[in-house]
Amino acid sequence: MSEGLEESHQLFGRVAEEYDAARPRYPEALYVALEEQSGMRLAGARVVDVGAGTGISTRGLLDRGARVAAVDRSDRMLSRLRARTACGALLADGNDLPFRDGAADLVTYAQSWHWLDPALSVAEAVRVTGPEGAVAAWWNTVDAGKADWLAAYQVRLAESCSGYVGPALPGWSMPPIAGVMAAAGLAVRETWIGWTRSVRLDDFLTDLRSRSYVARLNGHEVEELVNRERAEIGRVFADGRLTVPMRVYLATGRKSRPGGG
Ligand SMILES: C[S@@+](CC[C@H](N)C(=O)[O-])C[C@H]1O[C@@H](n2cnc3c(N)ncnc32)[C@H](O)[C@@H]1O
């Protein structure tokens, strides 16, 4: 995906500390759905986690027994991952994976596929997974329809950040990986998983600083935005602890169809 002059790995490299400190993890139900939809037990599976960043998805997979190789183009994101994640971590391009054909059972993109080339990335995932392999992508997002304050917050972000992407944009939807998987001959399944995030206001604002559309602002604009949101959201959650409705979109593509079809 073309994202202007600064590429995504450079953008995330600048906010790696904030990303590592405050981005949410994925709910247990995501990993349950991943196993069910991909038809693959994570325990013992060889997984290539593309766009692994600071390791949120990588550690989720490792915790469930997967053998994970983490791949990212940002050395600063990967250095955060390496600091507290016991797995191989490669500075490499997800559009050109440094693995032989069939080396993996599963290729995952957590919050990352939209930064890659749509066709090249999936072709690479298909190449490095074996005949029973699968590809999976997922994104955490706020469920803005469930809380007025959250919808209003998203509208303010859309007005303040020219690069904003999210539910306040008319016609916004998840990145179209399901269609790309289907075009690559994979058997596709999709699902949404709702969950609730409990987070301190300070951490929520650190998370905001790690958003790509905020990382593109200049320092003064970031401080202004964060101070404004501290006041706005602080009025809703006077005790400084937020309850945020969330949902994860998961798309999986299997090479072999259940029942051998
Ligand atoms: C939003 S982060 C996702 C991190 C992590 N998977 C998670 O669940 O939080 C997206 C990551 O994709 C990486 N990325 C972008 N383009 C890439 C590419 N072509 N190959 C590998 N990684 C890439 C960025 O450097 C960034 O660390």
Side-chain angles (χ1 to χ4, degrees):
M1 173 179 280
S2 171
E3 284 290 334
L5 291 178
E6 194 173 31
E7 290 199 56
S8 65
H9 62 286
Q10 298 165 320
L11 202 59
F12 283 114
R14 288 198 285 106
V15 291
E17 187 178 337
E18 290 83 356
Y19 198 111
D20 194 28
R23 283 286 185 116
R25 290 187 294 178
Y26 303 102
E28 172 66 22
L30 177 271
Y31 297 100
V32 172
L34 172 60
E35 287 193 319
E36 198 266 319
Q37 283 194 188
S38 66
M40 191 176 301
R41 279 184 53 78
L42 289 172
R46 298 166 303 163
V47 181
V48 176
D49 190 25
V50 177
T54 61
I56 298 172
S57 47
T58 304
R59 285 186 293 278
L61 294 160
L62 287 168
D63 287 349
R64 285 151 187 90
R67 292 180 285 154
V68 188
V71 171
D72 203 285
R73 277 184 78 199
S74 164
D75 52 356
R76 294 193 62 188
M77 292 290 269
L78 276 185
S79 72
R80 293 270 158 187
L81 179 147
R82 288 189 182 107
R84 58 194 176 98
T85 315
C87 74
L90 289 138
L91 186 64
D93 185 349
N95 299 314
D96 185 15
L97 290 169
F99 301 102
R100 63 177 168 74
D101 297 4
D105 302 309
L106 176 66
V107 170
T108 54
Y109 307 95
Q111 218 87 11
S112 63
W113 179 77
H114 57 295
W115 297 111
L116 280 82
D117 181 279
L120 286 180
S121 59
V122 172
E124 272 297 79
V126 167
R127 182 185 66 74
V128 304
T129 49
E132 304 289 313
V135 182
W138 63 89
W139 286 266
N140 242 337
T141 184
V142 294
D143 199 346
K146 288 225 168 105
D148 290 347
W149 75 267
L150 195 53
Y153 166 68
Q154 292 292 309
V155 169
R156 289 194 301 275
L157 294 182
E159 287 168 355
S160 306
C161 309
S162 59
Y164 168 87
V165 178
L169 289 186
W172 173 78
S173 64
M174 280 289 151
I177 192 168
V180 179
M181 287 175 174
L186 302 174
V188 178
R189 287 181 64 189
E190 300 169 89
T191 195
W192 287 91
I193 296 145
W195 65 288
T196 303
R197 182 183 187 195
S198 174
V199 58
R200 291 187 312 127
L201 177 56
D202 281 345
D203 293 331
F204 190 75
L205 296 173
T206 302
D207 176 338
L208 175 62
R209 291 174 185 274
S210 80
R211 300 284 149 180
S212 60
Y213 48 83
V214 175
R216 285 201 186 89
L217 303 177
N218 69 40
H220 173 72
E221 290 169 331
V222 173
E223 293 317 310
E224 207 170 284
L225 180 77
V226 168
N227 287 337
R228 182 191 77 195
E229 292 309 323
R230 185 183 302 283
E232 290 278 359
I233 301 171
R235 269 194 282 281
V236 182
F237 298 97
D239 66 354
R241 177 154 289 275
L242 283 60
T243 300
V244 188
M246 302 284 297
R247 52 188 191 145
V248 184
Y249 166 75
L250 168 69
T252 53
R254 290 174 73 166
K255 282 190 173 173
S256 62
R257 285 171 170 70

